[in-house]
Amino acid sequence: MENQRKSLLFPLVIVLFFLLNATAFAQLRSDFYKNTCPNVESLVRAAVRQKFQQTFVTAPATLRLFFHDCFVRGCDASMLLSSPNRKAEKDHPDNLSLAGDGFDTVVKAKAAVDKDSKCRNKVSCADILALATREVVSMTGGPFYQVELGRRDGRVSTLAGVQHQLPGEGFNLDQLNTMFARHGLSQTDMIALSGAHTLGFSHCSKFSKRLYNFSPKSRVDPTLNRQYAAQLRQMCPIRVDPRIAINMDPTTPNTFDNAYFKNLQQGKGLFVSDQILFTDPRSRNTVNFFASNNNAFKQAFATAMIKLGRVGVLTGNQGEIRFDCTRQN
C-alpha cells in the first residue's frame, strides 16, 4: 500500500513542479519594464557593447554564466552572489572556471541601468544577465531574440546547490538528455544550446584524458580526429600550465555560427559530451541538419534560450531586486 501511494505521488509531484514553473514564467513578458524602466534594453546594450569592445571574452563568459545560473536554482542571478567564507555557488569547483568578465559585464550593466533615476533599483540582476546574454550572442553574429522579463533575484546561493546540476565534459547522450529534460528542455534544445561552444575556450585538464589516458584499449579517444588530437597534444603537453586556454571551436572561435556542428562531423568536438552528439545515431541527424543550415541552428538556439530563460524563475513578490548583484539586500 505504501509503495502504491509513493508511486502515485511521484507523478503528482512532477506535474505540480511543471504547473508552478508554468505559472511563474507566465508572469514573464518582454514589456515588463515599459512603465518603470522603458529604456532598459538600450541601457544594457550600451554597457555590454562597451565591455565587449574591451575584451572579446565578454561574450563567451556572459553566455556561460547565464547557462550555469539557470541550471542551478533557476535563472535568479544566485550565481552572482558572493560569500565571505567562499561557500556560494560561484565557489563550487564546477564554477571556478567561469571567467570574471561575465560577472563584470552584469555589474557594469546594472550600474548603467541604476544611473538612470527612473530605473534605479527597479531591474533585477537576473533580468540584466538575461538581456546581457542576448546582446553578446547578437554581437558575435548569433540571433537577436526577444527576452522575456520580470525575474526576481534569489537570496540563496550555496556550494551544495551546485552538486550534480551541471553537465559534465564526459556525459553521454542519455545523461545530457536527462539533465536538460529536468528543466523542460528537449534533445533538440540541448543540441542547439551545445552550439554555444562555437564561442569560448576551455583548459587542457578538462579534456586531457581524451588525449593521453582514454581507455585500456586506446590511449587517445578513437572518436577524436587524429590530426586534431595531434594538435591538441602539442598545445596540451602532459605537464601543461593549467592557465593555457584552448578554443572550443578551432575554426571560427570568435563568430557565433554553425561551425561547431561542422567540426563534430569531422571528429573535432573538444569534449566527449560534444562529440557524442555526432557519434550517437539518435542525435546525429540534428547535428547534420544544423551543420547544413546556419539559419535553422540560430532559430533553434533562440527558441532554446527563451525556454532556458524561464527555468525556475522567481516572479511577483518572490525573491528581491538586488541593489548590488553580488550580495543580498
Side-chain angles (χ1 to χ4, degrees):
M1 189 70 180
E2 185 61 29
N3 283 345
Q4 201 176 4
R5 195 177 298 139
K6 276 182 183 168
S7 66
L8 284 168
L9 271 173
F10 183 68
L12 190 64
V13 168
I14 296 286
V15 168
L16 280 171
F17 168 77
F18 280 110
L19 281 175
L20 287 168
N21 209 29
T23 309
F25 81 66
Q27 293 177 48
L28 298 181
R29 54 182 206 273
S30 55
D31 64 349
F32 185 83
Y33 295 106
K34 74 174 174 193
N35 298 322
T36 49
C37 183
N39 53 342
V40 62
E41 297 203 20
S42 55
L43 290 168
V44 170
R45 185 170 303 130
V48 173
R49 192 170 293 275
Q50 196 176 359
K51 172 75 183 167
F52 180 70
Q53 283 164 352
Q54 290 164 6
T55 171
F56 177 82
V57 178
T58 301
T62 305
L63 180 51
R64 194 157 171 252
L65 178 60
F66 180 66
F67 179 84
H68 279 231
D69 182 54
C70 291
F71 260 48
V72 180
R73 302 192 69 88
C75 311
D76 67 346
S78 53
M79 196 62 67
L80 288 138
L81 286 170
S82 292
S83 150
N85 53 2
R86 300 186 66 78
K87 288 199 173 160
E89 288 171 16
K90 66 191 281 193
D91 303 309
H92 190 278
D94 289 351
N95 291 321
L96 292 178
S97 62
L98 288 171
D101 287 301
F103 295 91
D104 190 47
T105 300
V106 180
V107 168
K108 285 193 161 70
K110 170 76 168 163
V113 170
D114 283 352
K115 225 181 210 173
D116 185 315
S117 58
K118 194 170 186 190
C119 300
R120 190 165 303 135
N121 302 328
K122 302 265 173 62
V123 184
S124 68
C125 301
D127 277 346
I128 287 171
L129 174 54
L131 285 168
T133 302
R134 188 266 309 274
E135 294 308 324
V136 297
V137 167
S138 174
M139 283 173 197
T140 50
F144 185 89
Y145 52 91
Q146 237 184 14
V147 177
E148 296 171 335
L149 301 166
R151 296 169 194 78
R152 307 265 294 176
D153 297 322
R155 293 191 177 103
V156 179
S157 182
T158 65
L159 276 175
V162 183
Q163 209 64 26
H164 310 303
Q165 297 304 314
L166 294 164
E169 300 87 9
F171 269 24
N172 63 30
L173 188 67
D174 290 325
Q175 290 171 306
L176 288 167
N177 278 334
T178 300
M179 184 165 277
F180 279 71
R182 276 198 308 224
H183 302 298
L185 297 161
S186 68
Q187 178 173 286
T188 303
D189 295 327
M190 179 272 290
I191 297 167
L193 290 170
S194 299
H197 284 173
T198 182
L199 301 175
F201 54 85
S202 182
H203 298 282
C204 297
S205 60
K206 297 285 182 188
F207 55 86
S208 60
K209 189 175 184 238
R210 297 187 75 196
L211 304 176
Y212 297 106
N213 187 26
F214 185 67
S215 72
K217 276 187 187 169
S218 174
R219 234 165 41 131
V220 180
D221 183 343
T223 67
L224 199 53
N225 177 294
R226 284 174 71 171
Q227 273 178 303
Y228 186 47
Q231 286 171 356
L232 290 173
R233 283 164 73 101
Q234 226 171 357
M235 293 186 281
C236 293
I238 286 175
R239 276 177 285 279
V240 68
D241 181 332
R243 291 166 301 183
I244 295 288
I246 306 296
N247 287 326
M248 296 292 299
D249 172 356
T251 50
T252 56
N254 292 357
T255 307
F256 192 101
D257 57 19
N258 64 341
Y260 167 81
F261 299 103
K262 294 176 181 176
N263 294 334
L264 297 185
Q265 290 174 320
Q266 296 166 42
K268 294 180 180 177
L270 195 60
F271 297 157
V272 166
S273 58
D274 291 315
Q275 195 56 50
I276 199 70
L277 301 179
F278 183 74
T279 311
D280 195 308
R282 293 172 295 169
S283 46
R284 188 180 300 145
N285 285 346
T286 308
V287 170
N288 288 338
F289 179 51
F290 289 160
S292 68
N293 192 326
N294 196 24
N295 285 336
F297 159 53
K298 288 180 180 179
Q299 214 175 334
F301 184 83
T303 300
M305 285 298 280
I306 292 166
K307 285 170 78 173
L308 176 63
R310 297 168 177 167
V311 170
V313 292
L314 303 173
T315 56
N317 295 321
Q318 300 169 311
E320 62 185 10
I321 305 286
R322 258 179 247 152
F323 304 150
D324 172 347
C325 288
T326 65
R327 56 175 189 254
Q328 294 174 42
N329 293 348

